[in-house]
Amino acid sequence: MSGHVSGGNPALSSLRLVPAGMALLPLVPLALLGGASWFARWVRPSADEWCFLPLVRDEGFMALVNQFYSTGNGRIANGVLVASYASFGVAGQQWYAGISAAVMLVLLWAWAAALLRRTGGRLPRGVPLFSAATVLAVFCFASTNTYKTFFWPASSVSHTFPPVLAAAATIPALLATSRRERALAVAFACVVGAVLGTLSEETSVVALVLLALALLLGRRAFPAGQLVFVRVWCAAAGAGILIGTAVLLTSPGSRNRRARYQADSLFTPESLYASMRGYAQILHTLLTTWQYVGAIAVGVLIGVLARRADGSVPRPDRRAPLLLGSGAAALLFSGYVCTAIAYPAFGPSVATANRLWNDYLFPLLLLLVGAGGLLGNLTVRRYRRGTAPVAAGAALLGVCVTAVLAMSLRDLESDMRVRATAWDRQDRLLRERAAAGATVLPYKPLAISSMLEPFSSDKRPWPASCVAVYYQVKKVTDGTEHRG
């Protein structure tokens, strides 16, 4: 993954000027991810966790998985992941952010390494890790609601982790060279596809659209010798997703959810039009979130510094415009489909429920990296002796975006700390009263980042009943009416 320059090749002269500090670049986004993981110690139960935690505590791991399948939404894999952190109570919620960040970073770093190996490219030491960490940081923290994207485990399990897992599913295929390795890659794709089908409907939609695009553009996008393997791999991945989706859609929980939200209404012209209007608002928000330029900067840095194994500058791929354009069209289409699917449950708020965007936002960020890579490659081929400033500028832009994200994250950490302090104080008081024999407790809502809390919404009263179960009492009342 590292490249060393030697000889008199003029194309490499600018690469010699790349500062030795390039290897230290990953420390910047890694510090941001590490800090965010440390801030997660202030996470406390809210929304769905009020119901998840007491169910696992009282009835065990499989009770929650069964609840997802039988009455919730049918997402079995989702239920397994939720039960995994809920089994550890409040501590599990606090650990989740750091563990998930580490897992996603390793997957993205491994994916970048697999791409380099497959293409025969080389990059200076530190650049692949910097690229993976920066893209992950932008994905998690440039969100309009970072708390729901990164710190709220129930949302991360459903919409933040799945698209990263879907991208990482291609790693075995990228590394496969023998017949046995290709067979294993096909089997792995089918298994991961089935998991995705029972983990996130939206990520499944995006993956299916991209798989269909790969099959459609197969002859133009892949060498003739790899075409059969690509088609078999795509078919296996698609079959796995369809199998998982079939399990989900035929589950009692999914049927209950569709009936509860009148999911059949998504096919009506009114719903499709409203979904399009909401999707237009989403795209406006994404296009005006300037921090996503960090993904382009990462791509430019890669494009400027990438070299072949012999040290030469790679030629621009003639297929790049076609792949980028068709990929953008496919992601825009799948984004609308995801919005239409979610509209019956979320209504007009689908335009502000940012966690629902992540399933297609993440591959859009990867597309921006690809566009930046093409721009960087064209730059280095045209201005061979003046690319060091371009590389330094791209790296500096990535660092600046990271710094801006760190400042906004610091403000969120302050809000989280204030809520955690108040939550802990109230938790001790309620436990003391419950231990003393009280059967009705006053609970004061402690909302953060638009998270649902008991008594914070007349339309969704269910958290109050879950809080009562959590404290093992008959009922909780609105504590804002019990001051002093």
Side-chain angles (χ1 to χ4, degrees):
M1 291 176 61
S2 61
H4 301 279
V5 184
S6 59
N9 192 333
L12 304 179
S13 59
S14 62
L15 192 58
R16 293 194 187 95
L17 301 178
V18 175
M22 188 69 71
L24 301 178
L25 270 180
L27 295 179
V28 179
L30 288 178
L32 177 60
L33 291 167
S37 301
W38 175 244
F39 293 162
R41 72 190 189 278
W42 302 122
V43 172
R44 297 295 186 273
S46 56
D48 304 67
E49 268 78 23
W50 279 123
C51 301
F52 297 157
L53 296 182
L55 181 58
V56 174
R57 178 196 65 197
D58 298 338
E59 301 182 36
F61 186 101
M62 291 307 300
L64 183 55
V65 178
N66 181 65
Q67 191 272 340
F68 268 72
Y69 179 76
S70 300
T71 60
N73 49 36
R75 303 172 191 158
I76 300 176
N78 201 305
V80 170
L81 291 179
V82 170
S84 297
Y85 71 78
S87 296
F88 296 94
V90 176
Q93 291 185 274
Q94 297 167 347
W95 300 336
Y96 176 84
I99 293 174
S100 65
V103 171
M104 289 189 291
L105 178 60
V106 169
L107 290 177
L108 286 179
W109 192 14
W111 188 62
L115 281 173
L116 281 174
R117 179 176 174 181
R118 186 68 185 182
T119 59
R122 304 179 73 182
L123 286 170
R125 186 176 292 107
V127 174
L129 179 56
F130 171 75
S131 303
T134 301
V135 169
L136 182 60
V138 170
F139 176 49
C140 292
F141 307 131
S143 167
T144 57
N145 193 325
T146 294
Y147 189 92
K148 290 187 175 181
T149 296
F150 185 75
F151 292 105
W152 183 24
S155 172
S156 177
V157 162
S158 300
H159 303 288
T160 304
F161 177 67
V164 177
L165 175 63
T170 62
I171 293 176
L174 291 171
L175 297 178
T177 56
S178 66
R179 180 176 300 180
R180 180 175 180 274
E181 289 174 346
R182 290 179 177 180
L184 290 175
V186 169
F188 183 78
C190 186
V191 171
V192 174
V195 171
L196 286 175
T198 59
L199 181 62
S200 172
E201 296 97 317
E202 287 82 2
T203 295
S204 296
V205 166
V206 176
L208 285 173
V209 172
L210 293 179
L211 288 171
L213 178 65
L215 290 173
L216 182 65
L217 298 179
R219 292 186 180 278
R220 295 186 178 184
F222 303 99
Q226 300 176 7
L227 193 56
V228 172
F229 169 64
V230 169
R231 287 173 172 172
V232 172
W233 188 92
C234 289
I241 293 173
L242 292 176
I243 290 172
T245 301
V247 172
L248 186 152
L249 293 179
T250 57
S251 68
S254 180
R255 291 198 297 268
N256 289 341
R257 182 178 175 86
R258 293 198 298 271
R260 183 164 64 250
Y261 293 112
Q262 300 179 339
D264 292 342
S265 65
L266 72 87
F267 298 106
T268 64
E270 294 80 6
S271 180
L272 294 175
Y273 174 74
S275 300
M276 178 62 74
R277 187 170 52 196
Y279 187 48
Q281 297 178 38
I282 294 171
L283 291 180
H284 177 266
T285 300
L286 295 179
L287 290 173
T288 54
T289 303
W290 71 267
Q291 291 89 340
Y292 293 143
V293 74
I296 299 178
V298 165
V300 171
L301 183 66
I302 293 173
V304 168
L305 299 180
R307 296 292 183 270
R308 290 197 185 100
D310 61 2
S312 63
V313 178
R315 291 182 177 275
D317 194 330
R318 295 182 179 179
R319 302 167 298 176
L322 171 66
L323 296 178
L324 291 173
S326 57
L331 290 174
L332 290 174
F333 170 74
S334 60
Y336 169 68
V337 175
C338 291
T339 305
I341 290 174
Y343 188 83
F346 288 84
S349 66
V350 74
T352 55
N354 71 296
R355 66 186 185 278
L356 302 176
W357 315 343
N358 292 339
D359 303 273
Y360 52 91
L361 172 59
F362 180 72
L364 278 172
L365 291 178
L366 296 183
L367 197 71
L368 291 180
V369 174
L374 178 61
L375 179 61
N377 181 245
L378 292 173
T379 300
V380 75
R381 290 192 65 83
R382 184 170 183 179
Y383 306 103
R384 296 190 177 190
R385 296 182 180 276
T387 54
V390 177
L396 180 61
L397 179 57
V399 170
C400 289
V401 169
T402 303
V404 171
L405 296 176
M407 288 187 289
S408 63
L409 188 62
R410 182 64 187 178
D411 294 336
L412 176 59
E413 187 268 347
S414 179
D415 295 338
M416 292 168 61
R417 185 173 64 253
V418 169
R419 179 182 187 262
T421 302
W423 192 96
D424 290 342
R425 185 186 306 115
Q426 179 170 243
D427 180 62
R428 287 192 298 269
L429 180 61
L430 295 181
R431 290 184 184 278
E432 290 172 359
R433 292 185 178 182
T439 58
V440 178
L441 299 176
Y443 178 87
K444 182 179 179 180
L446 298 169
I448 183 172
S449 298
S450 303
M451 293 291 292
L452 186 62
E453 273 281 280
F455 313 113
S456 64
S457 173
D458 294 334
K459 295 181 179 179
R460 296 185 178 182
W462 54 264
S465 61
C466 290
V467 171
V469 176
Y470 184 82
Y471 289 107
Q472 298 177 316
V473 296
K474 292 182 179 180
K475 181 181 180 182
V476 294
T477 59
D478 191 348
T480 56
E481 301 174 359
H482 297 78
R483 297 181 181 274

